[in-house]
């Protein structure tokens, strides 16, 4: 990592650098230093270097955050001194001094990690004000109202964030002054009133914290810095990192920057925006602003801001400059920018720029537009789309016919597209509790705050009464790909009463509500949804010509296909799944679980007869009945794969999975006996119970399953190979290409595989003779038990291909039961013993090492060995990077994950080398 090389390349006598200055056209850092400066710090440095109007400041690096935690909430004196030196430098650049009664310097203190975590950590504005400096500010600006408004904001923020006094305590005082003076809006309060607010706030702070409000700005700065570091470990930030897989150890930087003021009057303002619409991807300047306000007013959703185009009328010069700068930034970064600005007395300042979070839909539109505009190459465009976000494009929408039938109750701002329908809940905790009971909920809030993140995560959608397109709910909703509507102003929410009113309609907790995150319409009803446009095209119900988004999606994935090295196959058991997978771009089947076909209509009784047979002849009779059924299934699957390789696995699960439960049978037998019904039915039940008891296993997952079934009942392998090969012959005779790969599961001994391979080869010879044709086929194995990995060199003497079964391999490497691990894995994650669920994302260190060993040893014996993976990890982005690195031939994923896998494989090819 860059910080390690940096440390090494420095002479050891020189002290390490922890603080990075930016100002007056020059910065110590740049855009590549996100690890150290965080996204915000790196962006400020880069903008400063580019000569943009950025207020000066400095960034305390993320390393200091880690030191703060290591030293048990203390910052070493040397770092304190380095910070103080930078304060002096900042005072010089700003031409103002902290605490001065003539020209006081005010600063903002903001968090900023490598990855943006909107609203999760803390910020303090107007720091540096005290009873003297506020008079200095008044003198300098000739604006007493502004000076005291800034001071009261500072006390409130500092009081809340640093002294941990609840916001309500301040709100209460503020409302009291407003009421006493008959003021409706905050802006109605004059200097005198605000002086009173400040007095009351200081008293509140003292009463609640037990000490006077700190007056020394240097002390304030230290306290604020530490509070920002503390906020790295607050519950919502931890939860956010867990959801987005952001490691805890990277820490946050702290940015200290000269304040500029959007609240000096009507020639000032503040806003946020995007260079393109982050919900739809449309090429439009997008954002909002507030006149006479500070930044937090926009994001918090307290006042509903104005759309940014209106800025053109109010302050045309600043607007023009803002457009120029942001267009330049988009070209410079080759990505959509999310920016913050402040206009102080008509002078524009840039406070932040970063890559803009967007919906999956917008990501695809933007990436394809960027290529059309020649802003990026297809290779760069691929990297602009997060593979996971493609899932959002597959999410359902409402049936337009159904949707039209229901009257619209209200309309809000369409913050994040998608159809949401569910039962109303009014708190994030309820959303979680109801979801755990299997209900689908829509989270309805006045406004959402960062603490709601857990509820937003589980809800079908998020609907708020206040806030703008860049309020917290909108930003987080978009990022999660959750349908979201904000600022549905007709919605009056009575959270305590657990109800809401829209016009004369009352919506109670548990009532159904639906909304369309693209149009902003809200309806009080449950509305059935319909498949996404892309799914409609893929399944053939909509023409690709009619769907702009499908064509873009397809273009992007076709680009991805050019760069990826990994093949993409699907886990599909039935012809219709194979068809969908092929349409999504899978080229081959990596796993067809034949036993799933046993559950088809009318088949279970035959399967049960096969299992219940206590002699080979009876078992063969049942198998003869199954043969044509399986053959037809295989024929269908082969056909849907249009000549691509199809890996079919012989039976894998323990046989009792196909029989009724032992307890149920015991009840049935007891019932028949007590009712005196002593005939054939009772005898049959008893026989079944007897066989179920015979088949009972203490550890079925480690028991009579996989290759062990084929070894003890060779006739099953015979029937399945015959069905596969007869189907293949039929296709070949019809002039179609077919590549069958017969896969034996759960092999740990080469002799197991040899035994089964002999059967397959014998059956193949018979079938080819009978059919008068020969089909090229392969026999291989799953590598899913540790012994298989360890002896992969031996196994490869028989196997023509390997497919890693990482579900079982994870189970057996960890010794965690696949079926029971849910009970304790969450605790492991909470206790930081595991970062992620190893069944969802490959454990590269342990299970991954097993895979790497299998690859190396297998290829030693057979250099051209085909290597695949068909466990659930085949559709997981991080795992795909790993599989690319260890040099597998292909990944196999469920049909709906195919687009994600195609893009993730391209990302892997463009960012990691095989063998790295
Ligand atoms: C596996 O174990 O990874 C696998 C794909 O097989 P199954 O999930 O059917 O055990
Ligand atoms: Mg398995």
């Amino acid at each position: 990592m860059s910080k390690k090389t940096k440390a090494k390349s420095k002479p050891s006598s020189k002290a390490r650098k922890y603080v990075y200055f930016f100002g007056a056209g020059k910065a110590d850092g740049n855009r590549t230093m996100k690890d150290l400066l965080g996204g915000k710090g790196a962006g400020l440095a880069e903008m400063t270097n580019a000569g943009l109007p950025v207020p000066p400041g400095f960034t305390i690096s993320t390393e200091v955050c880690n030191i703060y935690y290591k030293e048990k909430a203390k910052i070493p004196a040397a770092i304190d001194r380095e910070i103080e030196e930078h304060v002096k430098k900042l005072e010089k650049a700003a031409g103002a001094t902290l605490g001065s009664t003539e020209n006081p310097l005010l600063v903002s203190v903001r968090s900023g990690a490598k990855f943006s975590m909107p609203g999760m950590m803390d910020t303090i504005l107007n720091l540096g004000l005290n009873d003297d400096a506020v008079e200095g500010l008044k003198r300098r600006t000739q604006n007493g109202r502004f000076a005291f408004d800034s001071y009261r904001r500072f006390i409130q923020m500092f009081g809340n964030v640093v002294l941990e006094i609840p916001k309500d305590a301040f709100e209460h005082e503020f409302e009291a002054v407003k009421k006493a003076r008959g003021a409706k809006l905050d802006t109605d309060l004059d200097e005198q009133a605000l002086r009173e607010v400040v007095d009351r706030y200081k008293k509140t702070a003292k009463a609640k914290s037990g000490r006077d409000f700190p007056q020394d700005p240097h002390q304030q700065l230290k306290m604020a810095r530490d509070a920002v570091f503390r906020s790295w470990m607050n519950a919502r930030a931890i939860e956010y990192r867990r959801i987005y897989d952001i490691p805890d150890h990277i820490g946050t930087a702290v940015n200290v920057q000269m304040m500029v003021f959007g609240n000096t009057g009507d020639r000032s303002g503040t806003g946020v925006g995007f260079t393109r619409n982050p919900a739809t991807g449309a090429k439009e300047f997008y954002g909002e602003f507030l006149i006479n306000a500070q930044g937090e007013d926009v994001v918090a959703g307290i006042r509903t801001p104005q759309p940014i185009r209106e800025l053109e009328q109010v302050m045309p010069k600043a607007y023009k400059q803002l457009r120029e700068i942001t267009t330049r930034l988009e070209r410079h970064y080759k990505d959509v920018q999310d920016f913050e600005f402040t206009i102080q007395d008509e002078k524009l300042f840039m406070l932040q720029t970063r890559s803009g979070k967007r919906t999956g839909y917008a990501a695809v539109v933007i990436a394809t537009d960027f290529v059309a505009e020649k802003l990026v190459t297809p290779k760069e465009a691929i990297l602009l789309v997060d593979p996971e976000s493609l899932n959002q494009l597959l999410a359902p929408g409402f049936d337009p016919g159904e949707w039209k039938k229901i009257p619209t109750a209200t309309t809000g701002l369409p913050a994040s597209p998608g159809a949401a329908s569910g039962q109303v809940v009014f708190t994030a905790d309820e959303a979680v509790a109801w979801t755990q009971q299997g209900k689908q909920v829509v989270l309805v809030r006045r406004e959402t705050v960062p603490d709601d993140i857990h509820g937003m995560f589980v809800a079908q959608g998020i609907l708020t009464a206040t806030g703008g397109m860049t309020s917290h709910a909108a930003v987080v909703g978009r990022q999660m790909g959750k349908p979201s509507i904000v600022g549905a102003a007709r919605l009056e929410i009575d959270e305590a009463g657990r109800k809401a009113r829209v016009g004369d309609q009352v919506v109670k907790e548990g009532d159904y509500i639906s909304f369309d995150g693209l149009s902003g319409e809200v309806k009080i009803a449950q509305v059935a949804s319909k498949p996404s446009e892309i799914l409609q095209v893929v399944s053939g119900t909509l023409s690709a010509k009619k769907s702009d988004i499908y064509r873009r999606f397809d273009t992007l994935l076709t680009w991805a296909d050019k760069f990826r090295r990994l093949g993409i196959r699907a886990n599909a058991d039935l012809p219709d799944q194979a068809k969908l997978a092929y349409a999504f771009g899978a080229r081959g089947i990596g796993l067809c679980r034949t036993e799933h076909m046993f559950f088809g209509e009318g088949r279970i009784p035959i399967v049960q007869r096969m299992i219940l047979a206590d002699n080979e002849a009876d078992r063969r009779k049942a198998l003869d009945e199954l043969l044509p059924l399986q053959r037809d299934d295989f024929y269908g699957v082969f056909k849907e794969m249009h000549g691509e390789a199809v890996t079919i696995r012989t039976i894998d699960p323990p046989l009792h999975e196909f029989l009724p439960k032992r307890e149920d049978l015991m009840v049935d037998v007891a019932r028949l006996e007590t009712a005196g019904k002593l005939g054939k039915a009772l005898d049959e039940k008893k026989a079944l119970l007897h066989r179920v008891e015979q088949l009972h296993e203490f550890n079925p997952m480690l028991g009579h399953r996989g290759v062990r079934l084929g070894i003890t009942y060779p006739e099953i392998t015979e029937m399945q190979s015959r069905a596969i090969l007869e189907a293949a012959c039929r296709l070949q005779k019809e002039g179609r290409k077919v590549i069958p790969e017969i896969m034996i599961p759960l092999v740990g001994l080469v002799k197991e595989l040899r035994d089964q391979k002999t059967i397959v080869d014998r059956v193949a010879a018979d079938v080819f003779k009978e059919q008068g044709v020969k089909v090229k086929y392969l026999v291989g194995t799953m590598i899913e038990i540790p012994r298989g990995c360890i002896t992969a060199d031996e196994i490869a003497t028989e196997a023509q291909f390997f497919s890693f079964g990482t579900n079982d391999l994870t189970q057996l490497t960890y010794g965690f039961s696949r079926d029971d691990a849910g009970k304790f894995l969450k605790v492991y994650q909470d206790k930081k013993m595991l970062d992620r669920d190893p069944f969802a994302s490959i454990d590269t260190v342990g299970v991954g090492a097993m895979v790497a060993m299998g690859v190396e040893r297998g290829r030693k014996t057979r250099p051209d060995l085909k290597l695949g993976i068909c466990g659930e990890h085949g559709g997981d982005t991080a795992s795909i990077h790993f599989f690319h690195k260890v040099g597998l031939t292909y990944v196999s994923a469920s049909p709906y994950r195919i687009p994600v896998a195609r893009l993730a494989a391209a990302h892997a090819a463009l960012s990691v080398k095989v063998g790295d």
Side-chain angles (χ1 to χ4, degrees):
M1 256 176 33
S2 64
K3 53 184 172 187
K4 278 197 188 133
T5 41
K6 198 166 178 83
K8 246 188 239 158
S9 64
K10 283 201 161 186
S12 54
S13 60
K14 201 167 169 202
R16 208 185 167 91
K17 186 171 171 64
Y18 290 107
V19 188
Y20 292 76
F21 193 76
F22 54 89
K26 220 171 139 299
D28 296 342
N30 61 51
R31 69 194 274 192
T32 65
M33 294 166 69
K34 279 191 187 168
D35 282 341
L36 218 49
L37 304 182
K40 191 190 292 271
L44 287 167
E46 186 81 1
M47 284 201 293
T48 304
N49 284 330
L52 300 184
V54 176
F58 57 86
T59 304
I60 304 171
S61 83
T62 54
E63 287 181 332
V64 182
C65 181
N66 286 332
I67 294 173
Y68 174 82
Y69 281 102
K70 213 162 74 213
E71 300 291 322
K72 309 234 165 354
K74 288 221 163 46
I75 299 290
I79 297 180
D80 261 342
R81 274 198 301 278
E82 196 181 338
I83 294 172
E84 274 305 320
E85 280 160 24
H86 281 79
V87 169
K88 286 210 184 76
K89 201 166 165 185
L90 175 57
E91 287 179 332
K92 215 165 147 208
T97 313
L98 272 182
S100 158
T101 50
E102 295 307 317
N103 191 11
L105 171 67
L106 268 55
V107 295
S108 61
V109 180
R110 292 163 178 243
S111 60
K114 178 175 180 183
F115 304 102
S116 113
M117 298 170 51
M120 299 300 139
M121 288 181 287
D122 291 327
T123 288
I124 294 127
L125 302 180
N126 304 334
L127 187 138
L129 280 174
N130 58 22
D131 294 350
D132 296 332
V134 69
E135 300 295 348
L137 186 63
K138 175 180 171 179
R139 220 166 291 142
R140 183 167 71 81
T141 59
Q142 299 289 305
N143 188 341
R145 188 197 176 278
F146 158 71
F148 279 87
D149 188 42
S150 302
Y151 195 20
R152 70 99 191 159
R153 285 171 187 266
F154 172 54
I155 301 173
Q156 186 167 349
M157 258 189 172
F158 191 94
N160 178 243
V161 171
V162 183
L163 307 175
E164 296 178 8
I165 300 167
K167 276 188 190 143
D168 291 358
F170 295 111
E171 303 279 355
H172 181 76
E173 298 300 328
F174 196 64
E175 288 307 315
V177 175
K178 258 165 89 177
K179 200 164 166 207
R181 302 197 174 228
K184 265 187 128 176
L185 298 173
D186 300 4
T187 40
D188 293 340
L189 295 181
D190 61 11
E191 177 187 339
Q192 221 33 53
L194 289 164
R195 278 180 185 269
E196 191 188 332
V197 174
V198 163
D199 263 356
R200 284 175 175 247
Y201 275 13
K202 282 196 302 192
K203 285 195 187 107
T204 304
K206 185 167 183 183
K208 300 273 177 190
S209 71
R211 55 191 268 197
D212 283 326
F213 188 80
Q215 291 286 314
D216 173 7
H218 294 268
Q219 183 62 22
Q220 290 172 356
L221 181 58
K222 278 187 188 161
M223 292 170 76
R225 170 200 67 195
D226 293 354
V228 172
F229 284 148
R230 277 201 300 279
S231 72
W232 176 250
M233 280 296 175
N234 72 32
R236 62 178 186 249
I238 292 173
E239 175 77 0
Y240 187 93
R241 289 199 293 274
R242 197 182 62 74
I243 293 173
Y244 290 102
D245 269 339
I246 299 173
D248 286 338
H249 68 81
I250 61 172
T252 180
V254 176
N255 297 290
V256 178
Q257 190 177 21
M258 182 185 93
M259 286 291 304
V260 285
F261 298 97
N263 57 336
T264 59
D266 289 345
R267 289 168 53 239
S268 300
T270 186
V272 295
F274 289 82
T275 50
R276 314 232 164 179
N277 184 321
T280 64
K283 189 178 180 185
E284 62 195 19
F285 197 52
Y286 179 94
E288 43 212 14
F289 73 103
L290 279 170
I291 288 289
N292 197 10
Q294 282 200 325
E296 80 271 19
D297 300 340
V298 182
V299 185
I302 297 163
R303 276 162 66 187
T304 297
Q306 292 170 260
I308 205 158
R309 16 170 226 290
E310 290 175 16
L311 184 65
E312 192 170 12
Q313 273 94 56
V314 196
M315 285 181 245
K317 239 180 77 199
Y319 177 80
K320 190 162 165 262
Q321 196 191 357
L322 182 65
R323 290 233 41 180
E324 279 165 11
I325 288 177
T326 53
T327 307
R328 223 171 104 193
L329 284 170
E330 187 181 270
R331 295 203 154 262
H332 179 70
Y333 281 100
K334 296 186 175 197
D335 198 3
V336 172
Q337 295 300 297
D338 159 0
F339 54 85
E340 284 181 24
F341 64 94
T342 284
I343 299 168
Q344 180 176 317
D345 303 325
E346 297 207 11
K347 189 167 169 358
L348 174 72
F349 291 94
M350 298 303 294
L351 300 185
Q352 173 161 304
T353 192
R354 60 185 174 191
S355 135
K357 293 202 182 298
R358 65 209 78 171
T359 60
Y361 191 99
V364 171
V365 170
I366 289 164
T368 44
D369 273 356
F370 272 13
V371 173
E373 292 167 28
K374 301 208 161 37
L375 203 63
V376 300
T377 61
K379 188 168 159 184
E380 290 167 326
I382 292 167
L383 293 171
L384 287 176
V385 183
D386 169 13
E388 280 306 318
S389 75
L390 292 182
N391 271 336
Q392 294 166 29
L393 275 81
L394 308 180
F398 293 121
D399 178 323
E402 288 302 305
W403 185 241
K404 257 192 223 134
K405 279 189 210 152
I406 299 157
T408 301
T410 183
T411 306
L413 301 172
S416 177
S421 191
Q423 289 175 277
V424 171
V425 291
F426 292 105
T427 67
D429 289 343
E430 293 291 321
V432 172
W434 285 46
T435 309
Q436 277 166 356
Q437 291 164 23
K439 294 176 182 160
Q440 298 203 319
V441 301
V442 170
L443 180 60
V444 180
R445 304 279 284 152
R446 229 177 75 73
E447 68 207 23
T448 70
V449 290
D451 280 339
D452 288 340
I453 179 127
H454 56 304
M456 298 172 80
F457 189 57
V458 298
Q460 300 297 308
I462 300 141
L463 172 62
T464 72
T466 64
M469 293 293 265
T470 43
S471 63
H472 175 76
V475 170
V476 175
R478 235 172 356 248
Q479 184 187 352
M480 286 181 173
K482 290 272 167 201
S484 309
I485 290 182
V486 297
R490 282 188 64 218
L491 202 63
E492 292 166 38
I493 294 174
D494 170 9
E495 203 175 281
R498 300 188 170 208
K499 58 181 193 285
R501 185 181 284 279
V502 197
D504 49 14
Q505 260 180 302
V506 175
V507 187
K508 294 190 297 300
E509 182 179 75
D511 288 353
Y512 279 93
I513 200 164
S514 302
F515 69 77
D516 178 349
L518 197 59
S519 69
E521 293 163 292
V522 181
K523 308 197 175 187
I524 316 294
Q526 188 175 18
V527 184
S529 52
K530 75 170 174 54
S532 76
E533 217 170 285
I534 286 177
L535 202 60
Q536 288 179 51
V537 175
V538 164
S539 54
T541 54
L542 179 72
S543 141
K545 276 199 206 116
K546 288 204 175 133
S547 172
D548 174 64
I549 190 64
Y550 173 79
R551 288 197 310 276
R552 290 173 181 273
F553 173 82
D554 188 49
T555 303
L556 184 84
L557 289 177
T558 308
W559 290 334
D561 291 343
K562 286 206 193 99
F563 293 100
R564 68 178 159 85
R565 188 196 54 75
L566 281 170
I568 306 292
R569 295 197 189 186
N571 288 1
D573 309 324
L574 299 166
D576 56 344
Q577 294 171 3
K579 186 174 179 178
L580 183 68
Y582 190 87
F584 271 136
R587 291 296 173 260
I589 287 190
L591 175 62
C592 173
R593 291 177 167 102
T594 52
E595 62 272 10
H596 285 180
M597 298 169 172
F598 291 171
F599 291 105
E601 219 184 312
R603 296 185 183 185
I604 272 289
I606 313 175
V607 177
Q608 291 183 347
R609 247 180 284 135
M610 167 188 92
I611 298 168
L612 291 173
D614 48 16
N615 60 71
E616 192 186 320
D618 284 353
R619 195 156 37 247
R620 281 193 183 275
K621 236 196 261 162
L623 285 167
D624 285 346
E625 278 183 76
L626 278 176
L627 174 71
L629 303 173
Q630 286 239 292
R631 188 175 52 215
D632 285 354
D633 291 333
F634 298 145
Y635 175 81
V637 171
F638 283 137
K639 204 163 158 186
E640 296 298 352
M641 266 299 135
H642 307 279
E644 303 287 348
V646 175
T647 306
I648 300 175
R649 180 178 75 182
T650 50
I651 189 167
D652 181 65
L655 296 180
H656 67 77
E657 285 193 11
F658 303 100
L659 298 178
K661 278 213 173 72
R662 178 168 169 258
E663 295 68 27
D664 294 346
L665 284 170
M666 285 165 83
V667 172
D668 288 351
V669 167
R671 268 213 197 105
L672 288 170
E673 280 177 346
T674 42
K677 294 186 177 158
L678 307 174
K680 194 170 158 233
L682 177 62
D683 292 344
E684 276 176 10
K685 284 272 179 210
K686 277 186 166 168
L688 194 55
L689 177 59
H690 179 67
R691 186 71 176 132
V692 168
E693 279 174 341
Q694 272 184 335
L695 288 173
H696 173 77
E697 292 178 302
F698 289 105
N699 283 312
M701 268 295 179
L702 299 176
H704 196 186
R705 59 171 288 222
V707 67
R708 301 152 208 171
L709 290 169
I711 286 172
T712 46
Y713 304 122
E715 50 282 8
I716 301 183
T717 309
E718 274 173 31
M719 180 281 282
Q720 292 200 301
S721 337
R722 176 169 279 277
I724 295 166
L725 293 162
E726 284 183 358
C729 287
R730 185 173 149 200
L731 279 142
Q732 188 151 306
K733 282 189 204 165
E734 289 169 2
R736 294 174 204 267
K737 192 174 158 206
V738 56
I739 308 177
E741 299 179 343
I742 298 173
M743 179 158 77
I744 311 297
L746 226 65
V747 165
L749 294 162
V750 67
K751 287 181 182 163
E752 290 171 325
L753 181 60
R754 195 171 297 143
D755 175 279
Q756 294 293 289
K757 192 165 179 246
T758 310
I759 298 174
V760 177
D761 288 341
R762 178 167 39 81
V763 171
D766 290 350
V767 171
F768 297 157
K769 207 155 137 207
E770 290 156 24
Q771 301 284 329
V773 283
K774 261 195 181 163
V775 176
K776 223 175 134 218
Y777 67 97
L778 300 180
V779 181
T781 182
M782 291 197 67
I783 297 287
E784 54 184 338
I785 66 175
R787 196 177 194 284
C789 298
I790 296 165
T791 62
D793 47 350
E794 276 177 29
I795 291 176
T797 57
E798 294 292 335
Q800 291 169 295
F801 65 87
F802 283 176
S803 178
F804 289 92
T806 46
N807 303 335
D808 274 309
L809 194 56
T810 301
Q811 165 167 266
L812 295 164
T813 303
Y814 271 101
F816 286 171
S817 156
R818 286 164 70 164
D819 305 305
D820 304 306
K823 289 197 187 117
F824 53 81
L825 277 185
K826 173 86 175 57
V827 180
Y828 271 58
Q829 282 170 272
D830 289 347
K831 294 200 168 186
K832 309 264 173 263
M833 290 177 177
L834 287 175
D835 280 344
R836 287 180 254 184
D837 175 349
F839 288 102
S841 195
I842 193 96
D843 152 43
T844 54
V845 178
V847 182
M850 280 286 173
V851 172
M853 187 197 300
V855 168
E856 194 205 314
R857 297 189 179 183
R859 284 225 168 110
K860 207 162 73 193
T861 303
R862 208 186 269 260
D864 62 343
L865 189 66
K866 218 193 253 190
L867 297 165
I869 136 84
C870 63
E872 284 309 295
H873 304 90
D876 170 66
T877 303
S879 311
I880 290 172
H881 275 247
F882 176 78
F883 298 134
H884 169 86
K885 223 163 73 171
V886 295
L888 295 194
T889 320
Y890 68 83
V891 295
S892 189
S894 64
Y896 283 91
R897 299 289 303 180
I898 298 297
V900 174
R902 284 166 74 188
L903 189 53
H907 278 214
L910 294 173
S911 52
V912 275
K913 279 207 194 97
V914 177
D916 256 8

